[in-house]
Amino acid sequence: MIRYLERILNRALKGNDLSQKEIYYLLSLTQRNQLKRLFKTADRIRKKFVGEEVHLRGIVEFSNYCRNNCLYCGIRRGNRKARRYRMPPEKIVKWVAFISNKLKYRTVVLQSGEDLWYTKEKLVRIIKEIKKRCKTVVAVSIGERDYETYKAMRKAGAERSLFRFETTNPVLYKKMTGRSFVQRIQHIKWMKELGYQVGTGPLIGLPEATIKDYVNDILFLKKYNIDMAAMGPYICHSDTPLAGRPNGSVEFSLKMLAIARIVCKNIHIPATTALQTLAPLNGRQRALNCGANILMPNTTPAKYRKHYLLYPNKVCIFEDPVACRQCVTQLIYSLGRKIGEGYGHSLKLKTKKL
Ligand code: SAH
């Protein structure tokens, strides 16, 4: 069996595409030495295609109001225990100016629940103001809007979007979110069409997801030429209908990450906060060692941070952004890597425009 594994990995190293069957095989590996080989190969491919730079993206969670009711999510509409907040637009701009101009984050991700209080006009104003005052890339992660809103935000200066598909199994997607999978994918297509660099991927460990679903998740990233494979483990929140379900597995999440690197090659892959939450000692380090090249520290103001609980026990909830910046810098250096100095644009873009 080791021979079969070596054959697949060598083919990947030579730049070949892997078949559905081969990806299935890699996802099913459990033996320690085999996983070691897999992770090592992913690390080699990461080195070759993205180098030693780790890019930082600061996430600002500006509102936890949400019109949706996803079964897994702690800020779902139905969770009466969540204390809701909204950052006023001027405050968002001011805060982004601080983390960009002072802490030198070259990308800021504006994330929220699906909160229509922030109209197209408000979003455009926020983005324009940020682009005027800061040398930063703006990524939006605000869920589903209409085409015109994506277009207006893009025109205002937003260049990236973070928008997970959660699972490529349409039946499971419907069950978990109450929404249409076809519509979700349509939005990804719109964003691509509008020239956004798109980050998407699955929530790993959703109840009832199968290995076959995960194979399709990986193939989706490849097929749609996705710029960032944004995937992380599901963590059970007790104030949701999924209370009591097991968390996603750290090991399996690392496997997904490594395989995404091996299959997609020139793609950005973040080591997620959720992974670090499940493996507080070394989650991010392990991810960076098997394919990841992005860190997305939480840069939400402390006052709001404790209320943006998609899942419980989130790490760094009390850390101030200056300490956090030092902590990630330390982490990156300790692995012998360096902090990306540029904007960390998509590796699939030949020309970049700011
Ligand atoms: N509302 C926006 C963005 C915010 S949610 C959107 O839907 O795109 C960001 C991501 O958090 C979701 O896509 C989901 O994958 C993840 N998430 C939600 N609940 C989670 C949980 N319990 N454990 C881990 N990740 C979760």
Side-chain angles (χ1 to χ4, degrees):
M1 266 343 219
I2 276 281
R3 275 245 204 85
Y4 183 52
L5 175 62
E6 288 306 321
R7 215 164 58 216
I8 298 176
L9 296 179
N10 280 331
R11 277 179 12 84
L13 277 167
K14 283 190 191 133
N16 292 298
D17 286 343
L18 299 187
S19 69
Q20 216 163 334
K21 200 173 131 216
E22 288 170 324
I23 297 173
Y24 192 101
Y25 175 78
L26 294 180
L27 272 171
S28 312
L29 295 175
T30 50
Q31 280 180 32
R32 209 169 244 297
N33 59 337
Q34 296 185 324
L35 289 176
K36 230 168 132 178
R37 285 290 302 132
L38 178 76
F39 293 162
K40 212 167 173 111
T41 304
D43 197 44
R44 274 179 71 185
I45 293 182
R46 185 272 306 160
K47 227 178 239 176
K48 182 166 166 203
F49 284 86
V50 304
E52 300 298 347
E53 288 196 334
V54 176
H55 297 285
L56 300 181
R57 327 276 206 217
I59 306 193
V60 178
E61 300 149 338
F62 65 91
S63 161
N64 69 353
Y65 279 86
C66 193
R67 64 172 164 161
N68 284 343
N69 226 2
C70 304
L71 298 188
Y72 45 81
C73 184
I75 62 167
R76 64 199 301 274
R77 183 182 72 228
N79 182 9
R80 297 266 188 84
K81 290 195 191 156
R83 279 258 313 271
R84 305 287 169 172
Y85 69 87
R86 277 186 185 115
M87 283 175 73
E90 324 72 74
K91 247 193 171 167
I92 299 175
V93 174
K94 243 174 130 174
W95 184 258
V96 168
F98 166 66
I99 63 167
S100 150
N101 299 342
K102 289 277 182 306
L103 300 183
K104 307 289 175 213
Y105 281 97
R106 288 278 157 260
T107 297
V108 173
V109 184
L110 299 176
Q111 190 175 89
S112 67
E114 289 203 5
D115 184 359
L116 299 183
W117 184 85
Y118 298 88
T119 55
K120 178 176 84 183
E121 291 71 28
K122 282 198 183 102
L123 290 165
V124 162
R125 258 203 323 229
I126 294 169
I127 295 164
K128 273 192 174 157
E129 202 57 35
I130 292 174
K131 294 301 289 183
K132 207 161 85 193
R133 290 171 56 172
C134 319
K135 267 180 85 177
T136 186
V137 168
V138 174
V140 286
S141 179
I142 59 173
E144 295 183 20
R145 293 291 178 118
D146 57 16
Y147 183 83
E148 288 307 317
T149 305
Y150 294 134
K151 192 171 168 187
M153 292 194 298
R154 180 76 189 88
K155 231 177 124 198
E159 286 172 281
R160 300 195 192 132
S161 135
L162 181 57
F163 184 86
R164 283 187 177 164
F165 55 68
E166 318 294 3
T167 170
T168 47
N169 175 334
V171 177
L172 184 59
Y173 181 83
K174 176 84 188 169
K175 203 165 162 184
M176 289 293 138
T177 65
R179 300 175 72 103
S180 144
F181 177 71
V182 173
Q183 183 175 312
R184 190 86 179 163
I185 303 314
Q186 181 60 53
H187 286 237
I188 293 179
K189 289 181 185 160
W190 281 347
M191 291 170 195
K192 274 289 205 186
E193 189 186 309
L194 286 164
Y196 282 94
Q197 299 169 35
V198 175
T200 192
L203 187 48
I204 302 166
L206 280 176
E208 295 171 37
T210 64
I211 301 273
K212 228 174 118 202
D213 294 332
Y214 293 116
V215 173
N216 288 330
D217 293 347
I218 301 262
L219 288 171
F220 183 100
L221 300 172
K222 177 102 180 154
K223 177 172 169 203
Y224 286 89
N225 203 23
I226 294 304
D227 302 286
M228 182 168 92
M231 44 193 187
Y234 158 68
I235 304 177
C236 183
H237 192 304
S238 57
D239 300 324
T240 64
L242 296 184
R245 297 295 186 116
N247 294 332
S249 123
V250 170
E251 200 91 302
F252 192 78
S253 301
L254 291 169
K255 249 195 294 187
M256 281 290 283
L257 221 142
I259 296 167
R261 172 61 69 204
I262 289 171
V263 170
C264 302
K265 302 191 174 63
N266 63 340
I267 192 168
H268 286 309
I269 304 183
T272 61
T273 309
L275 189 67
Q276 180 75 3
T277 298
L278 290 184
L281 286 182
N282 57 9
R284 281 183 293 205
Q285 287 88 332
R286 288 171 75 189
L288 287 169
N289 280 333
C290 69
N293 71 317
I294 303 274
L295 279 178
M296 306 182 73
N298 185 340
T299 48
T300 305
K303 180 173 150 194
Y304 304 112
R305 202 181 281 204
K306 51 183 175 293
H307 301 302
Y308 196 84
L309 290 182
L310 308 175
Y311 51 83
N313 305 320
K314 223 166 148 187
V315 288
C316 309
I317 207 92
F318 299 113
E319 213 172 51
D320 88 276
V322 180
C324 178
R325 184 70 164 78
Q326 285 161 352
C327 169
V328 291
T329 304
Q330 186 77 35
L331 188 157
I332 292 167
Y333 286 136
S334 76
L335 297 175
R337 308 270 279 275
K338 51 188 181 202
I339 296 186
E341 286 181 355
Y343 290 105
H345 277 303
S346 170
L347 300 152
K348 303 184 176 184
L349 291 180
K350 289 225 171 64
T351 49
K352 53 189 177 198
K353 197 168 123 262
L354 251 190

